Amino acid sequence: AAAGGRRIACRTAGTPATMSPKGRPEGEYAPKRVSAEGSRVKALDVIRAEHRSLAAVIHGLRHLVREVREHGARPDFGLLDAMLRYIDAFPERLHHPKEDRYLFRRLRERDPGSARILDELEAEHATGARAIRELEAALARYRSEGAAGLPAFAASVDAYAAFHWEHMRKEEVEVMPAAERHLLPEDWAEIDAAFGSHGDPLFGADAETEFGT
């Protein structure tokens, strides 16, 4: 039963290739195969697939919290820990730094008019790194305090979800189209190599043990 619950938590949550104007995930979130037709499409497909993976885990967090809060389910602290470890280890430590170092840097060079939105997104990357520490602390309090710690943890999860869905919306609606307009083939080759050099642990060999997928 526990394994089945984990499957539901991870698979009922997701985000599409695009998101709604309000930053809510909608549509299918399963990773789509990366196109082989040139590095430009491949690099952006990788970034979008990583966005879908992150949104699936975040939505899964919200699902678990709702099950506890609204249906009296027993909290699965092991799965909650695993989800926060994923967010910290992959998006915060790999995905976001590579966006800053490769995609954003090249776009600054080719399109100075993108500086405002890039400054905003890079600041949000720093905010996200701090927010995951706050989520970890809220989960630790929830684990030690029991039901009394649930409202604060739930609020932290909801705030983190809203923040990241809006952040990803801005990247996909504003930055990626600008990159397609302004970046050169040699820029895309570098970006493609950077994002192709790591795998998403949500779909790796340890995913079934970690997330019950």
Side-chain angles (χ1 to χ4, degrees), residues 145-168:
E145 296 174 5
L150 175 60
F153 178 64
S156 294
V157 168
D158 286 343
Y160 190 83
F163 166 77
H164 262 292
W165 285 333
E166 174 61 15
H167 176 82
M168 290 186 288

Side-chain angles (χ1 to χ4, degrees), residues 100 104 108 114-128 163 166-167 169-171 174-175:
D100 293 344
F104 293 2
R108 284 182 188 278
S114 295
R116 180 198 58 78
I117 186 63
L118 295 176
D119 287 345
E120 184 177 326
L121 291 171
E122 287 183 355
E124 289 178 2
H125 285 171
T127 299
F163 166 77
E166 174 61 15
H167 176 82
R169 186 199 66 80
K170 286 186 282 190
E171 289 183 340
E174 299 186 49
V175 170

Side-chain angles (χ1 to χ4, degrees), residues 84-153:
L84 295 192
R85 285 198 303 273
Y86 168 82
I87 295 170
D88 184 36
F90 188 64
E92 297 298 344
R93 296 177 186 261
L94 284 175
H95 176 88
H96 291 161
K98 287 191 175 186
E99 284 181 332
D100 293 344
R101 190 174 303 127
Y102 296 99
L103 179 63
F104 293 2
R105 176 176 61 83
R106 285 297 193 182
L107 186 55
R108 284 182 188 278
E109 294 171 358
R110 305 298 185 193
D111 178 30
S114 295
R116 180 198 58 78
I117 186 63
L118 295 176
D119 287 345
E120 184 177 326
L121 291 171
E122 287 183 355
E124 289 178 2
H125 285 171
T127 299
R130 292 191 297 270
I132 192 63
R133 303 280 82 80
E134 294 171 2
L135 262 178
E136 290 169 342
L139 179 58
R141 288 193 298 271
Y142 177 29
R143 189 194 292 267
S144 64
E145 296 174 5
L150 175 60
F153 178 64

Side-chain angles (χ1 to χ4, degrees), residues 34-108:
V34 173
S35 169
E37 298 177 1
S39 61
R40 177 185 303 192
V41 174
K42 184 183 294 185
L44 294 186
D45 279 355
V46 169
I47 293 170
R48 290 186 181 105
E50 292 178 354
H51 283 177
R52 286 191 290 272
S53 296
L54 174 58
V57 173
I58 292 173
H59 198 142
L61 275 171
R62 297 187 73 208
H63 173 83
L64 290 177
V65 169
R66 283 197 304 271
E67 287 295 298
V68 175
R69 185 169 50 190
E70 298 175 11
H71 303 292
R74 184 175 180 176
D76 188 336
F77 289 110
L79 182 54
L80 292 170
D81 278 334
M83 288 175 160
L84 295 192
R85 285 198 303 273
Y86 168 82
I87 295 170
D88 184 36
F90 188 64
E92 297 298 344
R93 296 177 186 261
L94 284 175
H95 176 88
H96 291 161
K98 287 191 175 186
E99 284 181 332
D100 293 344
R101 190 174 303 127
Y102 296 99
L103 179 63
F104 293 2
R105 176 176 61 83
R106 285 297 193 182
L107 186 55
R108 284 182 188 278

Side-chain angles (χ1 to χ4, degrees), residues 172-185:
E172 296 198 11
V173 172
E174 299 186 49
V175 170
M176 291 184 185
E180 289 186 295
R181 290 193 301 270
H182 296 288
L183 298 190
L184 303 179

